[in-house]
Amino acid sequence: MANRLILAVFVLVFFPFTAARAQSSGDATALFSSTVYIVADAQIKGSPEHRTFYGSGVVVTPDGYVLTAAHVIPDLVDPDTYVNVRITGTVGTKFGYPIPLERTDFQNVGVDVAFLKFPSGLNLRPAKVTASPEMAVDSFITVVSFPLALDANILHGRITSLNGPKGTWITDSKVQEGSSGGPVFDAYGNLVGIVSGGFQNPGAADPLGLNVIIPVASAKNVAGGLNWQVGNGSQRVECKATPITITADQSSFPAAASMPFNRDMDSRDFSGVLATSYPWVILDHATVKLPQVATNFLRFCRLELKGGSRVVIGSKEAFFLVNYLSVSGGKITGLDSAEDGSAVDPTPPTTVGASGAPGRPGQSSGNFLIAVAQKMDGALVVELDGGHGGTGGTGGPGAPGATGAPGNGGSDSLFDCRRGPGDGERGSAGGAGGRGGNGGPGGNAGNLQIFRLQSTILPTSALSYGGRGGPGGAGGLGGPGGPGGSGGQRGSQTVYCHGGSDGPQGPQGSAGASGSPGADGLPGQLKDSVVTEQDIANFF
């Protein structure tokens, strides 16, 4: 069935991401305080019957101008059907006292926006807009609206395209009746657009498809002369330090990146003025192997990985605090690929019948924790696999078997040869070989912990994590069985008595049992947490 465009009063339905983002109560209160619940009562032309329409809007000036979608006002959409439209609004909640909203001259039939106005003197808190919004595909957004005429709801989502119909943006949020005109905020709480509508495919399993946002710039073109409140922009930290480019392998980062662990920290360490003085480091076709101290705690205003560069954290923990992380070919690894922690085979024992030595345990990877305060570009690969366990040692050889008893000797009597010379007896079997040593256990994988702020721009496909436990080492081979004992000598011959033979050699002993393989190392875990700056300060 063909897609059809919804132009009614819309709502956004909650479909949270795997790592749910939750506004603090203070942030939510600030967003709600400028959101308006709009009710339009319209008379059907030529009839006493009335219909009621619901929508959303946002206060954009201190003197009470409200931005909404034009189709929320019924006679703007269908002037031949509806007359005598009365519009009221309540701020922040649908349960407040309805206040009349007046029409204004600010509307444009080419853009789905309209402006209404509250009476003066209401002490309103308008939303703030950025002077130049820095929106991009995958930018984080927050929508506040009144779905299905319910009370105010808050929903997080992302921009999926900046090239929607007639200059609109597309979002992955699901749109239904009730939220048209609702404000759309960026990651910093600045107004960047309003909900317009969406495309619906009723025959699909999920009938709610593409959903449309009108950028606030389009609304400002309609009413640019209003007293728009300008916010603080993205509050982006600009690095003051000169970039340090590393093109050869190093054993550490510049000293300025090092930070004492467990020192007092505050918000300036993340997105404030202090963070601007942190180093800006560029790794270009280079590898940095961190020193193997208890904890490597490093901070960067900006860290760039290019051309297959690597940061090797080794078997110790590493904590990175980064305002802006840019990756165009690079990875973070635990154990060096050239020295992956594989254990060396133990020396085989030489003691007769001894068991083989156990294999050495594989090396475990260190844990990696990274806090991204602002933004991440590109795709970061993090590999924290554990090392292989060593193979168990070979068991010792079995002891040789005992020599067989000799046969009876012959008689000197001419006629007395019946009891000799007799055959020697078979030698005894050799002893069993020693048991092989057990394989060494594999090393454990390192865990990856990501901390990001509510405002952090981190694309959902930006991270690839591998944390496999190292395989256990193979069990050592059992030692070879000991040789069988020599056969007993035949009985002595005489001039008159001949015959008899030496006894046969005994069989070789059985080989020792192989050792058991070592246990695999434990896999690592990925945790992705959306936190406040204070949460990170408390953690560190």
Side-chain angles (χ1 to χ4, degrees):
M1 183 178 294
N3 290 345
R4 57 188 177 90
L5 178 65
I6 306 171
L7 280 178
V9 187
F10 297 93
V11 60
L12 291 177
V13 180
F14 283 83
F15 283 94
F17 293 97
T18 301
R21 294 169 172 261
Q23 290 267 2
S24 69
S25 58
D27 292 335
T29 300
L31 300 185
F32 287 149
S33 65
S34 62
T35 305
V36 181
Y37 176 60
I38 296 176
V39 178
D41 179 83
Q43 180 183 354
I44 298 176
K45 196 171 186 179
S47 168
E49 182 181 350
H50 286 247
R51 293 189 61 185
T52 302
F53 298 83
Y54 307 92
S56 304
V58 57
V59 179
V60 293
T61 67
D63 55 349
Y65 278 91
V66 174
L67 169 62
T68 186
H71 67 267
V72 170
I73 305 170
D75 57 347
L76 289 182
V77 178
D78 192 355
D80 294 331
T81 302
Y82 300 106
V83 295
N84 299 326
V85 179
R86 294 183 299 172
I87 308 170
T88 61
T90 56
V91 180
T93 175
K94 65 170 289 184
F95 300 111
Y97 182 78
I99 302 172
L101 282 166
E102 301 175 356
R103 297 169 181 270
T104 71
D105 294 331
F106 299 122
Q107 60 191 50
N108 189 330
V109 294
V111 182
D112 187 23
V113 299
F115 288 84
L116 305 171
K117 189 177 185 306
F118 281 121
S120 300
L122 294 182
N123 191 27
L124 299 170
R125 297 177 59 185
K128 295 182 178 181
V129 300
T130 57
S132 56
E134 298 180 359
M135 302 304 289
V137 172
D138 217 26
S139 291
F140 176 75
I141 59 171
T142 298
V143 179
V144 182
S145 60
F146 295 87
L148 298 174
L150 300 171
D151 202 16
N153 267 283
I154 191 168
L155 172 67
H156 306 298
R158 295 195 180 265
I159 298 294
T160 58
S161 172
L162 297 175
N163 299 309
K166 298 182 179 179
T168 58
W169 299 336
I170 306 299
T171 177
D172 56 7
S173 301
K174 310 298 184 184
V175 174
Q176 289 182 347
E177 185 177 4
S179 285
S180 285
V184 179
F185 299 95
D186 67 9
Y188 306 94
N190 297 304
L191 180 68
V192 295
I194 61 170
V195 175
S196 174
F199 290 93
Q200 188 179 60
N201 185 356
D206 182 359
L208 301 177
L210 300 178
N211 307 291
V212 180
I213 294 171
I214 298 176
V216 74
S218 298
K220 292 180 72 175
N221 290 335
V222 176
L226 298 183
N227 183 21
W228 296 86
Q229 302 298 289
V230 179
N232 295 324
S234 64
Q235 303 174 1
R236 182 168 302 283
V237 172
E238 298 296 339
C239 298
K240 295 179 180 178
T242 302
I244 302 171
T245 301
I246 299 175
T247 57
D249 293 352
Q250 304 284 338
S251 59
S252 64
F253 280 103
S258 182
M259 193 176 200
F261 189 57
N262 282 337
R263 78 164 180 80
D264 290 336
M265 302 178 70
D266 58 37
S267 62
R268 296 179 305 156
D269 289 291
F270 305 102
S271 57
V273 293
L274 184 60
T276 64
S277 62
Y278 291 170
W280 178 353
V281 177
I282 302 172
L283 289 188
D284 192 353
H285 295 81
T287 296
V288 174
K289 296 182 180 180
L290 300 184
Q292 294 302 282
V293 296
T295 300
N296 285 291
F297 192 10
L298 302 169
R299 42 56 185 306
F300 305 90
C301 182
R302 181 166 178 158
L303 176 62
E304 300 182 38
L305 303 180
K306 298 181 176 181
S309 295
R310 293 188 306 133
V311 178
V312 181
I313 67 173
S315 60
K316 304 298 183 181
E317 285 190 326
F319 298 164
F320 282 15
L321 176 59
V322 185
N323 277 73
Y324 182 17
L325 178 62
S326 177
V327 184
S328 56
K331 65 173 65 174
I332 307 292
T333 63
L335 307 175
D336 190 356
S337 59
E339 305 165 359
D340 65 359
S342 297
V344 179
D345 289 348
T347 304
T350 57
T351 305
V352 170
S355 296
R360 295 174 56 189
Q363 191 173 11
S364 294
S365 172
N367 298 322
F368 181 56
L369 296 88
I370 182 169
V372 183
Q374 253 184 26
K375 182 180 180 181
M376 176 175 165
D377 286 333
L380 177 65
V381 177
V382 180
E383 296 177 349
L384 304 178
D385 297 338
H388 292 258
T391 303
T394 303
T403 303
N408 294 326
S411 172
D412 288 335
S413 169
L414 177 63
F415 302 104
D416 189 13
C417 292
R418 289 174 296 176
R419 64 181 184 86
D423 295 337
E425 295 183 6
R426 177 184 295 271
S428 300
R435 185 179 185 276
N438 294 333
N444 296 332
N447 299 318
L448 172 61
Q449 170 71 68
I450 300 173
F451 295 113
R452 45 179 162 158
L453 305 180
Q454 177 72 39
S455 57
T456 301
I457 300 174
L458 188 69
T460 54
S461 59
L463 185 68
S464 173
Y465 166 65
R468 296 169 297 183
L477 297 175
S486 301
Q489 292 184 342
R490 63 185 177 181
S492 57
Q493 301 185 65
T494 65
V495 176
Y496 302 104
C497 299
H498 301 282
S501 59
D502 293 338
Q505 183 174 1
Q508 182 172 350
S510 59
S514 296
S516 300
D520 293 341
L522 299 175
Q525 294 183 342
L526 165 63
K527 294 183 179 180
D528 184 0
S529 305
V530 178
V531 296
T532 66
E533 294 173 346
Q534 191 57 49
D535 290 332
I536 301 177
N538 292 341
F539 182 86
F540 289 113

